[in-house]
Amino acid sequence: MPDSNPLLLPYDRPPFSAIQAHHLLPAIQQIITECRSATASIIASQAAFPTWDDLVLAVDELEARLEGFVHVLTLLDSVPQGLAWQQASTRSQAMATQYKAELAGNSDLYRLHRQLAASPIAALFSEQRQGALQKKLRKYRVAGLELSPDKQLQLSALNQDIDVFSQAFLDRVKNANDAWRKHILDASLLSGLPDSAQARMAAAATAAGLQGWLLTLSEQSFREVMTYADHRGLRKEIMLAYYSRAVDRGPDAIANDNEQVLTALLYSRHQKAQLLGHANFAQLALVEQMAGTTEQVSAFIHQQIDLARTTFTHEAQQLQNYAAQRGIDVLEPWDHDYFAEKIRQDLAGISQQTVGNYFPFEWVLQRLCAFAKTLFGVDLIEQATVDTWHPDVRVFELREYAEPIGHLFIDPYRRSEAAGFGFTSSLRSHRMTAEGRPKLPMAVLRTQMPAPTKTHPCLMGHLQLRVLLHEFGHCLQHLLTSAPYRAISSIEQLSRDASEFVSQVLEQFCFTPSFLIWLSSHFQTGEPLPDDMATKISRLIHTQTSQETARVLLTSLVDFELHRTHGDGRTPHEVFSQCNAQVGHLQWPAGARPLNSFEQLIDYGANAYSYRWSGVLARQAFERFERDGLFNPETGKAFREAFITQGDTGTLLKSLALFRGEGDSCAEHSKA
């Protein structure tokens, strides 16, 4: 009788609705068993003369199968499930992670890949094959396969410690978030907050069986209160709570304190880097990045700080003068974002809420499809019958010359208070099998926007537009590549700086008035954004930007310095304080410990700077769109060929130089 487990049957698109809890463990167990057997066969058959198809592509198929299982499971985990599912999913994810490490640490596979790379036939490989092969070899080396057996055991233990400390750090932040709630019965405390924020807080209170409103420490709630709440005491209270998460206070101080966890994590990362032959973890983190040395990155970050100082000084004085005119002689840390927004609205003559009225999600989505068609020559055709993991998910088939080339899944609405901003993930990467059959890519775009209500559609503010364009860029980079190998085609295989480049170029369109007009349609009248209002939006988004700039630069500097200078005798908090003094401009409440909830340290690991790095390059690339026209199909074609089609092949700087029509690489990062 054939196996009826949907996770073990071949499929073009995942059969999400057919997958049940009892399918998970048998599926991952069988996948691992079959992969181990296949690995043994590959090693035996390739021992004498390894080949591209029977070694590299064969191993890639095994990795892709495991990856596909994990991606499907992760998406299903995003929807509330029962206890049986949670238990099966946790065990399955752990088994998949363990086997992935086993495969990455297979010394026989590494030896065969090295043998192939040193063979005469490899010298004749295409640039794409050579690039994919070299990436695989680097991954094996980072997995410790150049080390002696005893040092490999040390590395394995360190990797386990890093995983444990990373998860402990995130868990303590989550526990601190969950532990803080403010029940509000006095509506006057909510003065100034957007209606959508108040509605969400009211729904949270109702869900908790309470009257009134319930305020939490989610990032969205924190930003809204700090930016819009007229009540100064409420802003102070939530800021103190937000920047005192996971600190060494209260009856469970030791169990809650994240500085001890961070210290242990940094030590383990440092030990790992040195074991692999690097001076520090920051140097190890640059293995796949554009920057060649830690000195180059440090110089870049400090250069960006210096370039921002004039704006810091001007906007700080503007803020002080504005507050003084309104009776606030001493600006406290919880006043800055609030008065900055007031200045923006006064100078622009428009509010973020008014902006949102012109950008209903459904219309914006239609325009993005038209944008992709105009600029990149692809059609996005919605597929109403494709199986998904949630009823809200939308599926689009990408077609070029009437032929399907991939699928885009859009999960538009947030389903929890702590959902954060949007993000993109792969569901399958483009690749060619050894038989020459293409595996079409699938990308998932999650925008985390508020769901529509009975009276209003989902309306998008400018920040949400930026997030959507940014994530749409990630998806297009994943879906439009024709690179034949997963190692160079997947968005998840790119270095952090390269992966953020295309998305930040698309984000630049949101800062152009003519594009905003084209993208707009008032949710009630259908009228596009008037020219004068587009000008006001431009003024709104370019006023009082220094607080956000300083936060990005501080994050970049702290993340890099903690990993670069580990072992110099300073505590993590001392490093943070000194970096904060170097950046300047930002103020913190007395006794605050922002570093204890600095989740970017876990997510980026000495690579947070890369967002700013790629942003500088993205602005250079966007200059050609401004010169040629935002909707010029020839420019879109040139952009796709330069940065997307070939995948992770060649260097971004060389491609940028060619795209801009320059003779030399655009290695200069001095433009802010």
Side-chain angles (χ1 to χ4, degrees):
M1 180 177 178
D3 197 320
S4 59
N5 189 325
L7 287 164
L8 296 172
L9 297 174
Y11 58 78
D12 181 36
R13 292 180 295 274
F16 291 104
S17 62
I19 300 171
Q20 304 296 318
H22 65 271
H23 293 136
L24 303 186
L25 284 169
I28 190 59
Q29 288 167 350
Q30 184 169 331
I31 289 171
I32 291 174
T33 297
E34 292 177 355
C35 284
R36 282 181 175 146
S37 176
T39 300
S41 297
I42 291 169
I43 293 170
S45 68
Q46 296 294 289
F49 186 73
T51 65
W52 179 264
D53 286 357
D54 295 329
L55 173 63
V56 180
L57 293 190
V59 172
D60 197 57
E61 282 297 315
L62 303 183
E63 294 174 343
R65 187 181 185 193
L66 183 68
E67 181 184 78
F69 173 87
V70 171
H71 286 326
V72 169
L73 187 54
T74 300
L75 290 172
L76 289 168
D77 281 344
S78 70
V79 180
Q81 308 277 3
L83 179 60
W85 176 277
Q86 294 174 12
Q87 293 174 338
S89 175
T90 299
R91 288 184 61 192
S92 298
Q93 291 275 21
M95 291 175 67
T97 300
Q98 184 177 8
Y99 179 67
K100 183 179 180 181
E102 176 186 321
L103 201 57
N106 190 305
S107 58
D108 289 325
L109 290 178
Y110 177 44
R111 173 178 51 80
L112 291 173
H113 279 81
R114 282 196 308 169
Q115 189 176 335
L116 175 61
S119 67
I121 192 67
L124 303 177
F125 282 170
S126 67
E127 184 180 7
Q128 289 182 322
R129 281 195 181 186
Q130 289 182 353
L133 183 55
Q134 289 304 315
K135 284 189 75 172
K136 283 181 169 288
L137 290 173
R138 286 194 296 272
K139 289 182 183 297
Y140 281 125
R141 287 193 289 270
V142 171
L145 292 182
E146 293 280 2
L147 302 176
S148 62
D150 61 321
K151 289 188 175 180
Q152 287 186 28
L153 290 175
Q154 291 179 40
L155 181 62
S156 177
L158 285 169
N159 283 332
Q160 290 180 25
D161 288 345
I162 290 169
D163 290 342
V164 169
F165 294 138
S166 298
Q167 191 58 53
F169 188 97
L170 296 174
D171 287 344
R172 292 180 183 206
V173 175
K174 181 180 184 301
N175 292 340
N177 285 340
D178 293 342
W180 192 91
R181 295 286 189 276
K182 182 175 179 61
H183 182 208
I184 298 174
L185 292 172
D186 183 358
S188 66
L189 291 178
L190 307 180
S191 172
L193 286 174
D195 292 342
S196 59
Q198 296 189 36
R200 199 175 63 254
M201 291 166 60
T206 300
L210 300 171
Q211 299 293 316
W213 302 266
L214 193 63
L215 180 61
T216 72
L217 285 183
S218 73
E219 184 176 358
Q220 183 180 22
S221 293
F222 172 72
R223 280 178 173 261
E224 288 171 336
V225 171
M226 297 308 299
T227 305
Y228 299 111
D230 296 327
H231 198 283
R232 201 180 188 196
L234 182 64
R235 299 199 307 271
K236 176 181 179 180
E237 184 177 356
I238 195 172
M239 189 177 204
L240 288 171
Y242 193 79
Y243 289 123
S244 299
R245 294 174 295 167
V247 298
D248 56 348
R249 298 174 194 149
D252 298 319
I254 295 177
N256 293 333
D257 182 29
N258 249 347
E259 185 153 356
Q260 297 180 36
V261 177
L262 180 57
T263 299
L265 172 62
L266 292 170
Y267 174 79
S268 296
R269 283 178 170 174
H270 186 72
Q271 292 296 110
K272 173 180 178 177
Q274 293 199 318
L275 197 61
L276 291 169
H278 298 275
N280 49 62
F281 191 81
Q283 189 180 87
L284 173 61
L286 296 182
V287 168
E288 293 286 351
Q289 305 297 310
M290 276 182 270
T293 66
T294 56
E295 291 78 14
Q296 186 180 1
V297 174
S298 293
F300 167 74
I301 297 172
H302 283 96
Q303 179 193 55
Q304 293 296 300
I305 294 170
D306 290 341
L307 287 168
R309 291 205 186 282
T310 300
T311 302
F312 287 174
T313 301
H314 167 72
E315 293 196 349
Q317 188 61 55
Q318 183 185 44
L319 202 64
Q320 185 65 57
N321 294 342
Y322 186 90
Q325 293 169 7
R326 284 147 186 82
I328 304 294
D329 294 325
V330 179
L331 274 175
E332 299 289 353
W334 44 86
D335 294 327
H336 289 81
D337 289 337
Y338 175 75
F339 282 114
E341 181 62 21
K342 292 295 185 184
I343 291 173
R344 283 191 285 266
Q345 292 184 14
D346 284 358
L347 292 181
I350 193 173
S351 68
Q352 292 284 1
Q353 288 70 43
T354 304
V355 172
N357 291 335
Y358 283 89
F359 299 101
F361 172 69
E362 289 297 330
W363 173 259
V364 171
L365 187 57
Q366 290 180 39
R367 296 303 260 176
L368 281 188
C369 293
F371 177 68
K373 173 65 173 178
T374 300
L375 212 57
F376 301 116
V378 294
D379 294 295
L380 277 78
I381 311 298
E382 186 159 12
Q383 308 290 295
T385 60
V386 174
D387 197 2
T388 68
W389 60 94
H390 190 276
D392 289 339
V393 176
R394 313 271 290 273
V395 184
F396 293 82
E397 183 177 79
L398 272 74
R399 297 177 188 169
E400 187 168 29
Y401 307 118
E403 292 293 326
I405 60 171
H407 287 87
L408 172 61
F409 291 74
I410 299 180
D411 193 351
Y413 308 123
R414 66 173 57 241
R415 290 190 284 275
S416 70
E417 176 70 10
F421 290 111
F423 58 94
T424 294
S425 60
S426 165
L427 191 48
R428 184 168 62 212
S429 303
H430 182 269
R431 68 185 192 277
M432 298 293 291
T433 67
E435 296 76 27
R437 292 194 297 269
K439 293 289 186 180
L440 300 185
M442 293 183 284
V444 179
L445 193 166
R446 302 177 72 175
T447 57
Q448 310 289 38
M449 292 181 297
T453 66
K454 293 180 180 179
T455 57
H456 283 77
C458 173
L459 301 175
M460 305 181 67
H462 189 264
L463 178 59
Q464 290 167 323
L465 289 175
R466 286 177 58 188
V467 170
L468 179 60
L469 264 292
H470 184 99
E471 301 305 327
F472 191 61
H474 281 314
C475 291
L476 290 179
Q477 186 169 14
H478 186 76
L479 295 169
L480 297 185
T481 182
S482 59
Y485 313 121
R486 196 171 57 91
I488 58 174
S489 70
S490 173
I491 188 72
E492 295 176 344
Q493 298 284 337
L494 296 173
S495 63
R496 180 77 69 169
D497 46 16
S499 69
E500 291 294 341
F501 171 77
V502 171
S503 57
Q504 291 203 71
V505 172
L506 262 69
E507 194 177 335
Q508 291 297 310
F509 282 84
C510 289
F511 292 92
T512 307
S514 59
F515 181 79
L516 291 174
I517 293 171
W518 177 84
L519 194 64
S520 65
S521 175
H522 194 281
F523 81 100
Q524 291 175 322
T525 67
E527 293 296 317
L529 198 66
D531 289 353
D532 65 326
M533 192 170 289
T535 302
K536 290 179 179 180
I537 292 177
S538 181
R539 191 177 300 127
L540 180 76
I541 60 182
H542 287 98
T543 299
Q544 281 289 326
T545 60
S546 56
Q547 287 283 315
E548 189 60 33
T549 298
R551 291 186 189 109
V552 170
L553 292 173
L554 179 61
T555 298
S556 302
L557 185 60
V558 170
D559 176 51
F560 201 72
E561 287 300 288
L562 281 171
H563 292 96
R564 187 184 69 87
T565 65
H566 179 80
D568 66 359
R570 293 181 295 170
T571 67
H573 180 68
E574 288 171 341
V575 174
F576 176 87
S577 297
Q578 291 173 24
C579 289
N580 186 60
Q582 290 177 48
V583 174
H585 198 58
L586 295 175
Q587 296 182 23
W588 306 94
R593 288 290 188 273
L595 192 61
N596 286 37
S597 54
F598 222 49
E599 293 176 287
Q600 295 94 327
L601 293 170
I602 310 301
D603 298 334
Y604 286 89
N607 276 328
Y609 79 89
S610 60
Y611 187 84
R612 184 76 175 186
W613 177 287
S614 57
V616 171
L617 298 177
R619 285 190 289 276
Q620 292 180 12
F622 189 69
E623 290 173 359
R624 178 167 172 186
F625 285 100
E626 293 178 312
R627 183 188 72 208
D628 296 351
L630 299 183
F631 301 98
N632 188 318
E634 292 302 315
T635 307
K637 180 181 179 181
F639 182 84
R640 181 178 174 184
E641 280 297 318
F643 305 112
I644 299 177
T645 300
Q646 300 302 315
D648 192 15
T649 304
T651 68
L652 178 58
L653 295 179
K654 180 179 178 181
S655 298
L656 180 57
L658 294 174
F659 180 70
R660 285 167 54 92
E662 299 172 348
D664 297 318
S665 295
C666 301
E668 179 61 53
H669 281 71
S670 61
K671 295 183 180 180

